[in-house]
Amino acid sequence: MEGNQKKGGAFLDLETLLEKFRDRDRFPDSRMFNIHYSVLVPIMEKEGKLHLIFEVRSKNLKNQPGEICFPGGKVEWGETPKEAALRETCEELGLQREDLLDIERMGEDVQPFAFRIIHTFVGVIQPRAEIRPNPDEVEEIFAVPLEWFRSARPEIYQVKIQLLPEQVFPFHKIPGGENRFLSERKIKEYFYYYGDYTIWGLTARILQDFLARAGISGMIEM
């Protein structure tokens, strides 16, 4: 914990935080993925403290209405993952491009069973920027002080995943046959509760990665 404490009592200044995400490795070879998404973790300074900005998805959306997320969406043809993250953030939060500063690549969330990859970025919203959420996509937004995550511990649940081939699958042609598909894989789902808000799923995984890379440790069980 003391490693995050700056001189003068400040928890974590913006420049120290962004430095942890600069000069990351190049994007991995992702040609096998036919769907690309980009997500941006927005940081905003309010009253001298850094906050993460979260969205509550519109209840009118077909996919995941009412869920909590970071701004993001599908990478369109001809644009880079970073350009997609910026476009989606501006569209969803009603921002101008100049309202977003210090955009840094964070990493990728690879989902092989869905044949998709989610590119993640971290960026700063100017303190003077006026956020006007797009009502077609965003029900509301809320801000969580970054320092809150120093002591917040997520609930962790196990989810079992098993591959179920179709009946005509040629088991007899592979070593081990049907037995190759009997084993189950387990993944962890993390749940954060901030007031009445529940942060879980992909958003919680991206949040975990952000906290780990930012060096805000002590509350994460991997």
Side-chain angles (χ1 to χ4, degrees):
M1 289 295 184
E2 294 181 0
N4 293 321
Q5 195 74 22
K6 302 292 289 182
K7 291 182 179 180
F11 163 56
L12 192 66
D13 63 77
L14 183 58
E15 184 60 28
T16 300
L17 175 64
L18 293 173
E19 191 62 34
K20 299 175 184 294
F21 299 91
R22 292 192 175 118
D23 297 325
R24 306 252 315 132
D25 295 335
R26 294 173 55 196
F27 290 113
D29 184 353
S30 55
R31 287 172 292 181
M32 66 170 287
F33 300 96
N34 54 18
I35 305 177
H36 291 251
Y37 290 88
S38 283
V39 172
L40 187 136
V41 178
I43 305 169
M44 193 170 191
E45 189 168 353
K46 300 174 62 178
E47 299 178 350
K49 293 185 177 181
L50 299 181
H51 291 67
L52 297 186
I53 305 299
F54 292 84
E55 298 178 356
V56 179
R57 290 171 60 83
S58 170
K59 294 183 175 62
N60 296 322
L61 291 173
K62 292 182 179 180
N63 296 322
Q64 300 174 314
E67 293 279 0
I68 290 170
C69 65
F70 292 119
K74 191 174 181 180
V75 179
E76 301 293 346
W77 180 260
E79 67 179 354
T80 67
K82 182 177 180 178
E83 289 169 344
L86 291 171
R87 174 180 54 77
E88 290 287 350
T89 301
C90 288
E91 290 176 0
E92 293 175 21
L93 297 182
L95 298 172
Q96 301 299 315
R97 174 61 185 87
E98 54 268 25
D99 292 328
L100 297 170
L101 309 172
D102 298 301
I103 309 302
E104 303 291 345
R105 173 179 168 246
M106 192 163 69
E108 284 75 40
D109 185 276
V110 179
Q111 301 179 330
F113 294 121
F115 287 96
R116 69 180 184 179
I117 184 169
I118 299 172
H119 306 271
T120 56
F121 298 84
V122 59
V124 179
I125 300 176
Q126 284 202 68
R128 297 187 299 273
E130 184 176 357
I131 299 178
R132 298 178 178 177
N134 179 352
D136 292 333
E137 299 187 62
V138 182
E139 190 79 15
E140 62 174 303
I141 63 168
F142 64 97
V144 182
L146 189 55
E147 193 166 0
W148 181 80
F149 292 102
R150 295 180 73 183
S151 57
R153 291 184 175 273
E155 291 182 359
I156 304 174
Y157 298 92
Q158 297 282 351
V159 177
K160 295 180 179 180
I161 298 177
Q162 184 177 8
L163 298 177
L164 297 174
E166 60 181 340
Q167 291 182 345
V168 296
F169 191 86
F171 295 108
H172 61 286
K173 294 185 178 180
I174 60 174
E178 257 182 281
N179 293 329
R180 294 286 297 273
F181 296 89
L182 294 179
S183 61
E184 293 180 338
R185 298 183 182 182
K186 294 181 180 180
I187 62 172
K188 292 181 179 180
E189 285 286 359
Y190 298 86
F191 285 74
Y192 285 92
Y193 304 105
Y194 184 74
D196 294 331
Y197 300 108
T198 300
I199 304 169
W200 76 290
L202 173 63
T203 303
R205 290 201 303 274
I206 294 174
L207 174 61
Q208 294 265 25
D209 189 31
F210 172 86
L211 295 175
R213 296 185 188 281
I216 306 173
S217 57
M219 78 294 290
I220 304 175
E221 294 184 39
M222 301 304 289

